[in-house]
Amino acid sequence: MPFETPLALAALASIIPLIILYLLKPKPLQVQVPSLMFLLDIKEEKKRFYTSITKLIKDPLFLIQLLVLILLALAAAAPYLETQEALSGEHTVLIIDASASMQTDDRFDDAISKAEDYVSKKNSIILAESTPVTILEGEGSQATYDALDSLEAKATVADISSAVSAGMRMLSGEGGNIVVISDFASWNGDDPVNALKLAESYGLTVQFVLVGNDADNVGFIQGSIEVEDGSYTYTGVVKNYHNSRQIVDIEIERLDSGKTNTASLNIPARSTKQLRITSLGTGITEVRIKDDDSLPADNIAYISIPRISDRELLYVTDTDDLPSEVALSLIPNIDLKQLEGIPDDLSGYNIVVIANKERALAGNEIATLSSYLNNGGRAVFIASEALSSENALTELEELLPVRPLTVEDAEDGVTLEVVQETRLSEDIKYEEVAMYQYLNVTGRIDSTTLVATEEEIPMLVYGSVGDGTVVYFGINDLTGEEAWNNFHNLPEYPVFWFKLAGWLGGTGSVQEYNLKTGTISALAKELEITTPSGTETVSRVLYDQTGVYKVAGKEIAVNLYNDKESDTSLEGDDVIERAQADDEPGLVRASSYTAKNYLDTYMIIIVFALVILELLIIRKRGEL
């Protein structure tokens, strides 16, 4: 019989004290008759041992207590019996397409209505967005109905295949059913039918349910912002999905100033027209299609122009002309000041970069930096000998999001990989960085690693210190024969520093203020943000609604800008036909699973019964 926690069997040793206790237990006083004393003494030595053992075995209390200890030890070890059980159909995973096209007319309401028809004894709900969002897992019918009533369609492109894969993981133990409800208008990732066939090959029952009807639409499918003659110009593309020419009236409202303009586009059937808006002011501008149609998600183009402000950056280094300093000095609206040490007052700086290569920070500098970070400051530490455990003071190590060890050599080089996709990894080819020397570190529990080596040594990590943010950048920027790597020679190097400066609270690029739905960004710490539908406290933002998000003091405009999602004509019949094709998938998994039937509960019940029996025996003896 196997055990889940066999180490608990060590508790069986508790029967030894019990046996010793009973052997040493005082015996009743016996009065010996002198005339028989001689005969009894002859046999006493032979019978003494056997008598003690016999009394132990015949004592019901001893046997009960011995059995109780054995059963408790076995129960703690969690014994179980393995049996082959048929895959269950009681667990149903409801996958509901929450993409932008599901906002068309009543498609999403129809999807919720149909989902209610498939609710079973045990249910899970997954929203198919740009990434699967688990709403409910393994709950009963009433909780499922309540969750379904609270759902809303989003404004992303659904990755249905990934949602099906997430459902497969939920049912990997006991099996069950997957129901996918969608208009199947468009999707990201693999073909949903391929995901269906794969799930069926694992013995799962998968059903595709089509919702929606054809509808007409006019919407924004593209938008870009460029700098022309010192000012911002927006170019939007509006598409007419009607089968007839449409006159599209547009209203342009600059929310900061309250000024409103209008425009009109004459767009032929199934065609597009461009709209240009010049001299955009700072803040939010809304460009609206005035006539309502079947899909509201693409009727407004949101534009965000950051309010420009100079940023003071302190660059502390003991080495001149480092590539990171050059890259930071070239960023617009950054006033960079270089010093050899940390001054007593850092309140005037938005960002502090520590790039010392040999000189470790002194205790008073660390204290100043700690106060700066605790009060909301932002600091970046670049890896070097000065940060190694041999040189850095303990007080400095407590500020870092990593625990530094020693500098390591890698003659064959180590490669980097992105651990978490963020804007700091977009357009940066970390895999092309050749690392021949690096500072070996371990990440702290409360830190977040974005880039690491293949051996999982953190290279780009951030964490919080009080109200501030600290970043560890493990790619040293020494040049020449002393270089640790080649990153400073790559064209992406200045791009990285531009992105990092913007991410740490600077204005950054205007593109960082104008995103497409489905974008995911990591925050330096858990923050309360404002979404188009309310407020949330998150450490990672999924931009799945159109509108304006307020994140860390930034107003971020989010738009759908997707031709396929804006096309509200229904073409999902092809997916249903292919899903219902008769080609049977080859089973890669049997129709049963190995179930563990635990016996500990039964043992506990027997223990309670034995304890009651022991009390009855003690009471009968008059000892209770």
Side-chain angles (χ1 to χ4, degrees):
M1 179 172 58
F3 297 90
E4 190 75 33
T5 54
L7 288 177
L9 292 175
L12 288 172
S14 61
I15 67 176
I16 297 175
L18 177 68
I19 295 173
I20 295 174
L21 180 65
Y22 269 86
L23 289 174
L24 298 178
K25 183 179 179 181
K27 300 175 183 178
L29 181 64
Q30 297 180 356
V31 179
Q32 297 180 346
V33 179
S35 61
L36 300 176
M37 186 181 302
F38 177 74
L39 294 175
L40 291 174
D41 285 343
I42 294 174
K43 298 180 180 179
E44 183 65 24
E45 291 302 322
K46 295 182 179 179
K47 292 185 177 180
R48 183 177 301 166
F49 177 77
Y50 299 106
T51 301
S52 299
I53 298 298
T54 303
K55 287 182 177 180
L56 274 181
I57 296 174
K58 290 182 178 180
D59 189 341
L61 290 183
F62 169 75
L63 295 176
I64 289 173
Q65 292 169 2
L66 179 64
L67 191 54
V68 165
L69 291 177
I70 293 173
L71 288 174
L72 287 176
L74 292 176
Y80 60 87
L81 297 176
E82 290 185 348
T83 58
Q84 290 297 314
E85 303 288 344
L87 291 176
S88 170
E90 292 185 345
H91 191 172
T92 299
V93 177
L94 300 169
I95 297 176
I96 303 173
D97 184 348
S99 64
S101 63
M102 291 292 287
Q103 295 186 26
T104 304
D105 295 334
D106 298 323
R107 289 184 189 179
F108 195 75
D109 291 338
D110 291 344
I112 297 300
S113 178
K114 289 184 181 296
E116 291 175 347
D117 295 336
Y118 291 92
V119 173
S120 62
K121 182 178 179 180
K122 183 179 180 181
N123 308 274
S124 298
I125 300 175
I126 298 175
L127 282 185
E129 300 187 37
S130 57
T131 185
V133 178
T134 300
I135 304 298
L136 198 74
E137 185 170 355
E139 296 292 341
S141 58
Q142 188 55 54
T144 305
Y145 289 129
D146 294 341
L148 288 172
D149 289 340
S150 66
L151 299 181
E152 295 180 351
K154 303 300 182 180
T156 64
V157 183
D159 189 342
I160 298 175
S161 176
S162 293
V164 173
S165 297
M168 289 174 61
R169 288 191 290 272
M170 289 182 180
L171 302 177
S172 60
E174 301 179 3
N177 310 303
I178 296 177
V179 180
V180 182
I181 307 173
S182 171
D183 58 7
F184 297 103
S186 66
W187 57 80
N188 279 339
D190 195 13
D191 188 331
V193 177
N194 294 339
L196 175 144
K197 299 300 182 185
L198 178 62
E200 288 181 339
S201 72
Y202 277 82
L204 304 177
T205 301
V206 186
Q207 186 171 352
F208 281 3
V209 180
L210 180 65
V211 294
N213 297 299
D214 283 340
D216 293 323
N217 182 42
V218 175
F220 288 93
I221 63 169
Q222 289 182 26
S224 61
I225 302 171
E226 303 293 339
V227 178
E228 294 183 359
D229 299 326
S231 63
Y232 291 102
T233 296
Y234 171 78
T235 302
V237 178
V238 182
K239 186 168 183 177
N240 170 25
Y241 292 92
H242 292 251
N243 291 321
S244 60
R245 182 181 295 272
Q246 298 291 311
I247 304 298
V248 181
D249 295 322
I250 294 175
E251 182 178 75
I252 305 162
E253 182 179 2
R254 294 171 170 86
L255 300 186
D256 275 16
S257 63
K259 293 182 179 180
T260 302
N261 302 94
T262 59
S264 184
L265 299 177
N266 188 334
I267 310 177
R270 314 295 297 184
S271 298
T272 62
K273 278 288 182 70
Q274 282 192 354
L275 172 70
R276 284 173 57 83
I277 304 173
T278 59
S279 302
L280 284 169
T282 59
I284 302 297
T285 299
E286 293 184 0
V287 186
R288 302 187 199 91
I289 296 174
K290 297 179 69 175
D291 295 328
D292 294 332
D293 55 28
S294 59
L295 181 60
D298 59 3
N299 285 348
I300 303 178
Y302 299 89
I303 306 168
S304 178
I305 305 299
R307 295 168 177 84
I308 303 300
S309 60
D310 287 339
R311 291 159 290 165
E312 298 291 330
L313 187 149
L314 174 63
Y315 191 89
V316 178
T317 182
D318 54 6
T319 306
D320 292 329
D321 301 324
L322 290 172
S324 57
E325 180 183 0
V326 175
L328 287 166
S329 66
L330 296 176
I331 299 176
N333 308 110
I334 276 190
D335 182 10
L336 185 145
K337 183 176 182 179
Q338 177 188 334
L339 293 176
E340 293 184 0
I342 295 177
D344 294 335
D345 184 10
L346 293 175
S347 59
Y349 297 101
N350 301 96
I351 303 172
V352 176
V353 177
I354 311 299
N356 282 354
K357 302 308 173 190
E358 296 181 359
R359 187 185 73 84
L361 295 180
N364 63 314
E365 293 178 300
I366 297 171
T368 302
L369 192 59
S370 176
S371 176
Y372 168 75
L373 288 169
N374 277 285
N375 287 298
R378 302 168 181 89
V380 180
F381 287 88
I382 301 176
S384 68
E385 289 276 5
L387 291 183
S388 67
S389 58
E390 298 175 353
N391 299 316
L393 296 179
T394 303
E395 293 81 3
L396 178 61
E397 293 183 7
E398 292 176 353
L399 298 181
L400 296 172
V402 295
R403 292 183 176 87
L405 301 174
T406 58
V407 175
E408 305 287 344
D409 292 323
E411 294 182 2
D412 298 330
V414 295
T415 55
L416 305 182
E417 57 184 19
V418 176
V419 177
Q420 188 174 134
E421 293 286 350
T422 65
R423 277 180 284 171
L424 293 178
S425 60
E426 292 176 359
D427 305 320
I428 308 293
K429 298 178 181 178
Y430 290 105
E431 67 277 6
E432 294 185 2
V433 177
M435 301 282 296
Y436 296 103
Q437 200 170 11
Y438 60 91
L439 180 61
N440 191 9
V441 299
T442 58
R444 295 186 183 275
I445 296 176
D446 55 351
S447 66
T448 301
T449 299
L450 303 181
V451 179
T453 68
E454 288 185 338
E455 291 76 22
E456 299 183 353
I457 298 172
M459 284 292 142
L460 179 57
V461 191
Y462 69 86
S464 299
V465 175
D467 292 331
T469 302
V470 59
V471 176
Y472 167 76
F473 184 50
I475 306 179
N476 183 287
D477 56 346
L478 282 172
T479 60
E481 295 181 357
E482 299 179 340
W484 290 19
N485 56 78
N486 67 332
F487 189 31
H488 55 275
N489 293 326
L490 300 180
E492 292 89 354
Y493 188 78
V495 176
F496 166 81
W497 283 105
F498 181 84
K499 287 177 175 288
L500 182 60
W503 182 72
L504 281 173
T507 58
S509 166
V510 70
Q511 278 72 33
E512 296 181 3
Y513 286 73
N514 295 270
L515 306 176
K516 292 179 66 174
T517 55
T519 303
I520 300 174
S521 67
L523 303 179
K525 59 181 178 179
E526 194 171 73
L527 295 175
E528 182 179 277
I529 67 170
T530 302
T531 72
S533 60
T535 59
E536 298 177 6
T537 300
V538 296
S539 58
R540 192 182 74 141
V541 185
L542 169 60
Y543 298 95
D544 59 359
Q545 303 174 59
T546 58
V548 178
Y549 286 71
K550 294 182 179 179
V551 181
K554 297 181 181 180
E555 291 184 314
I556 300 175
V558 182
N559 294 284
L560 175 60
Y561 292 155
N562 189 284
D563 186 12
K564 291 183 178 180
E565 285 296 315
S566 291
D567 188 350
T568 52
S569 59
L570 197 62
E571 299 179 354
D573 291 332
D574 170 65
V575 175
I576 300 299
E577 290 176 3
R578 292 189 293 115
Q580 296 175 347
D582 293 332
D583 50 324
E584 293 292 334
L587 284 176
V588 297
R589 167 182 172 162
S591 59
S592 64
Y593 71 99
T594 301
K596 291 182 177 180
N597 301 300
Y598 289 93
L599 305 176
D600 50 350
T601 302
Y602 303 105
M603 293 179 175
I604 296 298
I605 293 173
I606 295 173
V607 166
F608 277 113
L610 290 172
V611 170
I612 294 172
L613 179 60
E614 180 181 10
L615 293 174
L616 291 174
I617 294 173
I618 294 174
R619 182 177 181 181
K620 186 177 180 181
R621 290 180 175 180
E623 299 176 4
L624 185 62

